[in-house]
Amino acid sequence: MKIAIVSALVGSAVAFAPAPAGRSSTAVRAALNGWVPDESKFAWGLPGALPPFEDGFDPLGLSTGVPLGTIKQWREAEVSHSRVAMLAALGMLVTEEPIEFHPLFEAYNKDIGPAIRHLDEVDAVSPFFLAFLTIAIGSVEWNRALTGFAKPEGSFGFQQLNENYYPGDVRFDPLGLKPSDPAEFATMQTKELQNGRLAMLGAAGMIAQELVDGKEIFVSLGLAADRFDPSSVPIQF
C-alpha cells in the first residue's frame, strides 16, 4: 500500500509537469482507437464525460487552452491512478473482516488488522518480499514507459508521450475485452474512468478512516466484529 501511495503521488507530480507547447494544435491527427484530437472540444475530445456534464466538468478552467501533449499526460496519469485505486479499494475490502482473503497471511487463524498496515507486517517477517514487489512494479512501469513514452532525443519534454500513443492503452488485454468499435471503446473507457474516479475517492477515504481510528472498514461501519488483537502481529500499532 505504501508503494502504491508513493507511486500515485509521484505520478501526480509528473502529470502536472510542463509539456512542450509546440505540439498543441498541430499534433497528432490520425485516429487513435477511434479518437481524433479536436481542439474545439473539452479535453481535446477524449471520452470520460457523462450527463449533465457532456461538455466536461472543469469549474476552475484548468484545462482551458492546455496543449494536446499536456492533456494526454493528464489523462495518462488519471487512467493509471484510477486502475491502482480500483485495485486498492477492492484489496482493502477483501483482505479485512469479515472476508479476510489474503494470500500472504494465515487469516483463518486470526484477524490481521487494518489493510494499511499489512505491508508493514510482511516487511517485519520477510523484508525481501518488498524488494520483489518493488521489482515487479518497476517492471510494469518500465513496460508502460516503453509503450507510451517518447525517447529522450531531439526536441524532448519531460514525460512526453508518443504521438501515436492513446493514454492508458498499454496493449495489455489477455482476455480480448477491448472493443474494436470506436464508439464501444469510448463507452468502455468512460466507464473505466468513472469507476476509477470513484475508487480514488473511496480508497483515499478508507485509508484516512483507518489512519484515524485504526479499525477495519466493516468494523467501523458496524458490519463486522472487531477481533483484531495488535499483540498478535509482528509490528507495533
Side-chain angles (χ1 to χ4, degrees):
M1 181 60 70
K2 288 191 293 187
I3 294 176
I5 293 172
V6 171
S7 298
L9 291 175
V10 171
S12 298
V14 166
F16 289 92
R23 295 178 177 267
S24 57
S25 59
T26 58
V28 185
R29 294 300 174 188
L32 301 177
N33 288 323
W35 167 65
V36 178
D38 186 345
E39 191 173 7
S40 65
K41 296 181 179 180
F42 176 75
W44 288 78
L46 282 168
L50 287 177
F53 303 107
E54 294 91 339
D55 295 328
F57 179 76
D58 185 15
L60 299 180
L62 299 178
S63 62
T64 303
V66 174
L68 175 60
T70 304
I71 286 292
K72 290 178 66 177
Q73 285 184 350
W74 289 358
R75 175 52 59 85
E76 174 72 13
E78 182 180 28
V79 173
S80 300
H81 294 159
S82 293
R83 291 167 179 169
V84 171
M86 285 188 281
L87 290 174
L90 179 62
M92 292 186 70
L93 294 177
V94 302
T95 57
E96 296 184 347
E97 282 278 6
I99 302 174
E100 289 203 311
F101 171 76
H102 205 303
L104 301 178
F105 295 93
E106 295 179 355
Y108 57 85
N109 287 336
K110 61 185 178 183
D111 188 332
I112 54 178
I116 60 171
R117 305 304 299 273
H118 288 177
L119 278 183
D120 292 333
E121 297 177 37
V122 174
D123 186 36
V125 176
S126 180
F128 291 106
F129 176 80
L130 291 186
F132 168 77
L133 182 62
T134 301
I135 293 174
I137 294 175
S139 299
V140 173
E141 287 298 289
W142 179 257
N143 177 71
R144 185 167 72 96
L146 292 178
T147 302
F149 289 81
K151 295 181 180 179
E153 56 187 19
S155 179
F156 175 77
F158 184 61
Q159 291 292 314
Q160 178 182 324
L161 298 177
N162 287 323
E163 290 191 353
N164 61 349
Y165 174 70
Y166 185 89
D169 187 2
V170 292
R171 302 171 188 171
F172 178 76
D173 185 22
L175 299 180
L177 300 178
K178 177 183 175 181
S180 57
D181 180 72
E184 292 181 3
F185 176 82
T187 299
M188 176 174 282
Q189 190 183 46
T190 297
K191 292 178 179 179
E192 180 184 30
L193 286 166
Q194 296 296 338
N195 290 330
R197 290 161 181 166
L198 178 62
M200 285 189 279
L201 293 173
M206 289 187 286
I207 292 170
Q209 177 63 44
E210 294 193 351
L211 287 172
V212 170
D213 62 14
K215 294 183 178 180
E216 297 153 273
I217 300 302
F218 287 113
V219 172
S220 295
L221 293 173
L223 301 177
D226 188 1
R227 301 187 301 112
F228 177 53
D229 178 10
S231 65
S232 66
V233 295
I235 62 172
Q236 181 65 46
F237 272 76

